[in-house]
Amino acid sequence: TLIDLFSKHFKSVADLTNIQSGKDSDRGILSAEEVNAMYAAEPLTELDEDMVLAVMLNQSFSNKIDEDKLYEVTRGNWKLDEKKLDDIELVFGVYHGVIVSVYKPGKWKKASGGRRKFEQDIKKEEEMKEIRKKYIGKSLPISKCQNPVRYIYKSDINKGGN
């Protein structure tokens, strides 16, 4: 924490690191808004779609990101299971467990290294305004792991069997 604080204000300590990384040390310094969003976010308890793709944006998101850049980092170059592409109804961009972007994939394109990226379905953009209101700002019950993509199923969220 102190290294993050000092490196933000003093260039001479910008390259310092701890010998031992701490718990969640990948986060770096967070703004008060980011901390509030992480801890005050309501959990997502209902999912209308059968399956969504959640992509972790922890390395590329900031509160200052514009809409075009947010779309680009969310659509990304993701290593995905080819068999599941047609079943992905929405893509959630997730920052430290909180949904920050929602898009409806129209078409999946090949990207470098056998990865995929989507083009949003702009025909559905009016419908997406309501969908975004429902999901953005909610927290997802996902565990931390190396893979930046998660397939989230309705049955995982809707515990009541809806």
Side-chain angles (χ1 to χ4, degrees):
T1 303
L2 290 176
I3 290 173
D4 288 332
L5 178 65
F6 286 124
S7 65
K8 187 171 177 108
H9 298 290
F10 303 104
K11 292 190 186 311
S12 62
V13 294
D15 294 328
L16 289 179
T17 60
N18 285 319
I19 293 171
Q20 174 66 44
S21 294
K23 182 180 184 309
D24 295 328
S25 63
D26 63 324
R27 291 189 179 168
I29 195 163
L30 298 175
S31 70
E33 292 91 14
E34 291 169 322
V35 172
N36 282 336
M38 283 170 46
Y39 292 107
E42 286 183 40
L44 181 63
T45 57
E46 185 178 340
L47 187 63
D48 292 336
E49 295 73 21
D50 288 327
M51 183 175 72
V52 300
L53 178 70
V55 297
M56 305 306 123
L57 305 179
N58 297 346
Q59 303 298 318
S60 52
F61 178 81
S62 81
N63 284 332
K64 297 176 180 100
I65 197 169
D66 66 40
E67 282 295 318
D68 291 335
K69 179 73 173 165
L70 182 58
Y71 170 62
E72 286 303 317
V73 298
T74 304
R75 73 187 287 239
N77 291 330
W78 306 110
K79 195 166 202 153
L80 302 172
D81 183 341
E82 298 282 325
K83 294 177 233 145
K84 294 181 180 179
L85 292 179
D86 290 336
D87 296 328
I88 298 170
E89 297 177 62
L90 294 175
V91 178
F92 291 164
V94 180
Y95 179 66
H96 292 299
V98 178
I99 301 168
V100 294
S101 62
V102 179
Y103 298 98
K104 183 160 194 65
K107 182 165 58 168
W108 289 95
K109 293 185 153 197
K110 290 188 180 207
S112 63
R115 296 171 182 268
R116 293 289 187 150
K117 63 183 176 182
F118 68 89
E119 288 184 359
Q120 68 178 325
D121 186 348
I122 54 175
K123 295 179 281 190
K124 306 277 184 179
E125 194 51 38
E126 196 58 39
E127 173 187 323
M128 287 304 299
K129 289 178 184 175
E130 287 302 311
I131 293 171
R132 285 186 179 109
K133 277 189 214 175
K134 179 177 183 169
Y135 295 124
I136 289 182
K138 301 282 181 161
S139 67
L140 274 177
I142 51 178
S143 59
K144 191 172 183 176
C145 75
Q146 293 289 339
N147 192 351
V149 299
R150 312 284 194 305
Y151 300 97
I152 309 289
Y153 297 92
K154 182 186 248 184
S155 59
D156 296 335
I157 301 297
N158 302 359
K159 299 294 185 200
N162 295 339

